[in-house]
Amino acid sequence: MSRLLTRRRFLIGSTLTASALGLSGCDALVESDRTKSVLKIAEGFSMKTQRFLLGDNALAREFGEADLSPVFRSNGTSMPDNPQYLDWMSRQFSTWRLDVGGLVEKPAQFSLAQLKAMPSRTQITRHDCVEGWSAIGKWTGLPLGTLLQSVGLKPQARYVVFHCADEYEKSLDGTGWYYESIDLVDAFHPQTILAYAMNGRDLEVAHGAPLRLRVERQLGYKQAKYLTRIEAVADLGQFYGGNGGFWEDRGYEWYAGI
């Protein structure tokens, strides 16, 4: 166990270091092609190392009920302010739908009730935020792999993109909307779920109601909240800054493995 914990600290530290470059005052350094190239190489090494050491299906550590954190902070947005989301919320999300499309055989929309009727998984895991805090929570939701199998992925699909209802940063060109992405290895990992409950209750708004992503082997900013659309794609370059996520477009690593 100590070996795994040491490795976990190393990977968290590596990710924090690279991410800090993107958010510090060193804009000129981050924007240089050479620096971007070095960070990409380091990120690729991190992903390959984790998957080589642990394997594609190795589980993140799971805990017991006694380990639940008394306080679980909200990361990122705590209340989306766009009118569509506020309308969904006022109706207890009865009119909300999850769109699933892109490179799939059977594009579909799912209500929250339909998602809850599918086979579920419950897991108690630790959330590690890039800001330096951690908390343990109990999550229940639909395995993402099950949903993807129900719509059928086309052969060209390589990534899954998650579109969210929170405009994290106001912009004229749409680049302020939160989004995230993972590859198919993580999409079909048994602990990657679309969570609709936390600690035995429906998700609160601050924690991503009505649906959020949990991809337990990566840092907190990958756990996209307020999901509205899931899109299977062949590459990530077509979205916003082209780096696969809101924070990734601002210097964070795309693969935030821990």
Side-chain angles (χ1 to χ4, degrees), residues 80-128:
D81 61 2
N82 80 75
Q84 177 67 83
Y85 183 84
L86 295 175
D87 182 67
W88 287 329
M89 187 176 65
S90 71
R91 303 171 191 271
Q92 287 77 53
F93 300 104
S94 61
T95 58
W96 170 91
R97 296 292 184 270
L98 178 69
D99 287 310
V100 183
L103 296 175
V104 300
E105 300 292 348
K106 297 177 290 184
Q109 287 190 333
F110 297 89
S111 68
L112 188 57
Q114 287 174 312
L115 295 176
K116 288 183 174 182
M118 296 181 183
S120 67
R121 175 184 171 90
T122 297
Q123 56 203 31
I124 301 177
T125 54
R126 192 174 80 180
H127 178 103
D128 289 301

Side-chain angles (χ1 to χ4, degrees), residues 74 77-78 85 195 203-212 224-227:
S74 169
T77 302
S78 59
Y85 183 84
L203 278 180
E204 297 176 359
V205 169
H207 290 292
L211 195 71
R212 72 175 293 167
K225 303 194 296 185
Y226 314 114
L227 298 182

Side-chain angles (χ1 to χ4, degrees), residues 1-37:
M1 179 63 70
S2 61
R3 181 181 176 186
L4 286 176
L5 289 175
T6 299
R7 179 189 162 279
R8 184 181 181 91
R9 292 191 187 102
F10 167 76
L11 288 171
I12 291 174
S14 299
T15 302
L16 288 174
T17 300
S19 299
L21 281 173
L23 293 184
S24 70
C26 304
D27 293 336
L29 174 62
V30 173
E31 289 303 316
S32 75
D33 290 340
R34 183 175 182 180
T35 300
K36 290 179 180 179
S37 177

Side-chain angles (χ1 to χ4, degrees), residues 219-240:
L219 285 169
Y221 63 86
K222 299 295 291 189
Q223 326 294 323
K225 303 194 296 185
Y226 314 114
L227 298 182
T228 60
R229 182 160 56 99
I230 294 176
E231 191 173 359
V233 300
D235 68 83
L236 301 173
Q238 61 185 297
F239 299 101
Y240 304 113

Side-chain angles (χ1 to χ4, degrees), residues 31 175 179 239-252:
E31 289 303 316
T175 58
Y179 79 107
F239 299 101
Y240 304 113
N243 296 298
F246 175 87
W247 285 116
E248 290 87 331
D249 288 341
R250 290 155 178 80
Y252 277 49

Side-chain angles (χ1 to χ4, degrees), residues 54-71:
L54 297 183
D56 290 349
N57 291 315
L59 300 180
R61 181 183 175 186
E62 296 192 13
F63 298 81
E65 297 271 354
D67 300 308
L68 290 174
S69 297
V71 176

